[in-house]
Amino acid sequence: MEIINSCFFFVLVLLFASTMSLANAKVHHHEFVIQATKVKRLCKTHNTITVNGMFPGPTLELNNGDSLVVKVTNRARYNVTIHWHGIRQMRTGWADGPEFVTQCPIRPGGSYTYRFTVDGQEGTLWWHAHSSWLRATVYGALIIYPREGDSYPFPKPKRETPILLGEWWDANPIDVVRESTRTGASPNISDAYTINGQPGDLYNCSNKDTVIVPIGSGETNLLRVINAALNQPLFFTIANHKFTVVGADASYLKPVTTSVIMLGPGQTTDVLISGDQPPARYYIAARAYQSAQNAPFDNTTTTAILEYNSAPCPAKCLTSNPIMPQLPAFNDTNTVTAFSQSLKSPRKVEVPTEIDESLFFTIGLGLNRCPKNFRPRRCQGPNGTRFTSSMNNVSFVFPSSFSLLQAYQQNIPGVFTTDFPATPPVKFDYTGNVSRSLWQPATGTKLYKLKYGSRVQIVLQDTSIVTPENHPIHLHGYDFYIIAEGFGNFNPKTDTAKFNLVDPPMRNTVAVPSNGWAVIRFVADNPGVWIMHCHLDVHITWGLAMAFLVEDGVGKLQSLEPPPADLPLC
């Protein structure tokens, strides 16, 4: 009887704890006004698209279990949507944000209110525009703290600082992508990288606005690093300081120590740093990891300054130049590989072992022959072609009259098909010399249908068409486990031995190695239409994307919510 009473008491305690947790959940209301704002960088002033006149935009903070309600009003001259990058959006696909995927854009003068709950996620995410190239300047941090009463799985840091790595054009980014679309050539590379919106000391007219990050001697601080750059994976380091990596993409990781991290666009990494160096000023720096051979890239370096503030310091240490870190070479793939392979979940995790859907997706670039009705100035890719990109030889075409989710939910015909291939239509030596006959992909708005609850494995295989490259592949609506990665062509006979089914890292964006592959697994437990795309925006512009249509399960809790009344019309 005593055992039964104890069990009953334990159940009551659990119920009380979960009820209190729900009771403590808050709803955070925000207003975003998308508008043109004068922003001066690199000696020139531009009419830059911002949120609430801020660049970067406001940092949103909430606890695990809280809800966000964000009213977005568009006072700019471009269509816009906002994507809450990495938020699971369980049954709230209408709030995910990619233009013409889950919603039609918010037209100039219009507004839309995004409503969603964050549950089971902690750490650093971010939000950004998901419409043309507006995310060059429309982005900000989204920080999820543990539930009230819970704590970090590491000692509480003295202070926390979001570090947003960005990319700046000394031009209107929308004009840059439009010119590229017109000519079929690569878009112009950026003129600078930024840390929290500022290029830093090494660029013209940037010295006085360089970002200062304070630290005290003996302190342990948390840096929440976000790669918000449009088209460039970035190395990130601090002179003379080590990082302890404790999280990525709002999932905790087994602590690992390193002096440099690499983030593909879309990825976030949480690192602890210790104030264990002589009081002085140390450069925080980021520059390109460039894996595409012979492709032009921005080879500049952005800096901020880590400044000690709590210990005696001679006057000269604050006036002398900060100490510069040693950054990896631009093409240092070995450092990237060592870093990515060091990341593990803190403990054993439940990786799907029985697989219902085994998919194999090739990813890469391509070249389209110049259409007969195009003049040569519209075909300025290599040898008079136009750049394109694809997955499984399908270059994704976004609809323009309806969003995919709306077309699915309302049974509107002719918007998409569900015949995206589960494997490449043609098998070939993916990382070898690829026949020119395979360089021109087909086009289409093809989705792949998944039953609710199906256990999915995807092999993402880079190709050497035009050039191999490290592709950051982001899946909306889901986190996934990265169970293996490697170089060359994936070989199911030998490479399955490399699968980590014990403690692989959980991510929402995987950096697929250049001339290599990565394997991810997830359970399709979130109904809706979810785009998976390369987070190099130049590649999504060219069609490096596909989308999953995850069917409803059984009952209300396994079904997509109905669309909100203010969903924008096309």
Side-chain angles (χ1 to χ4, degrees), residues 317-333:
C317 88
L318 293 178
T319 53
S320 60
N321 286 333
I323 298 160
M324 193 72 189
Q326 188 76 34
L327 278 152
F330 294 114
N331 63 350
D332 188 349
T333 294

Side-chain angles (χ1 to χ4, degrees), residues 375-392:
R375 294 183 177 175
R377 67 169 179 265
R378 297 202 60 194
C379 299
Q380 294 182 29
N383 302 315
T385 59
R386 291 176 61 83
F387 273 107
T388 184
S389 61
S390 65
M391 299 179 80
N392 273 359

Side-chain angles (χ1 to χ4, degrees), residues 549-565:
L549 194 169
V550 181
E551 297 175 315
D552 284 347
V554 178
K556 185 180 175 183
L557 294 180
Q558 294 184 0
S559 301
L560 178 70
E561 290 183 359

Side-chain angles (χ1 to χ4, degrees), residues 18-62:
S18 64
T19 305
M20 286 304 293
S21 177
L22 287 170
N24 288 336
K26 296 185 178 68
V27 179
H28 303 262
H29 292 265
H30 297 274
E31 291 207 9
F32 278 12
V33 177
I34 313 293
Q35 62 190 50
T37 304
K38 291 197 181 308
V39 174
K40 186 175 183 181
R41 297 289 185 276
L42 308 182
C43 319
K44 288 187 198 162
T45 300
H46 293 276
N47 254 347
T48 299
I49 306 301
T50 66
V51 170
N52 300 349
M54 299 166 64
F55 172 61
T59 295
L60 303 186
E61 298 175 281
L62 67 159

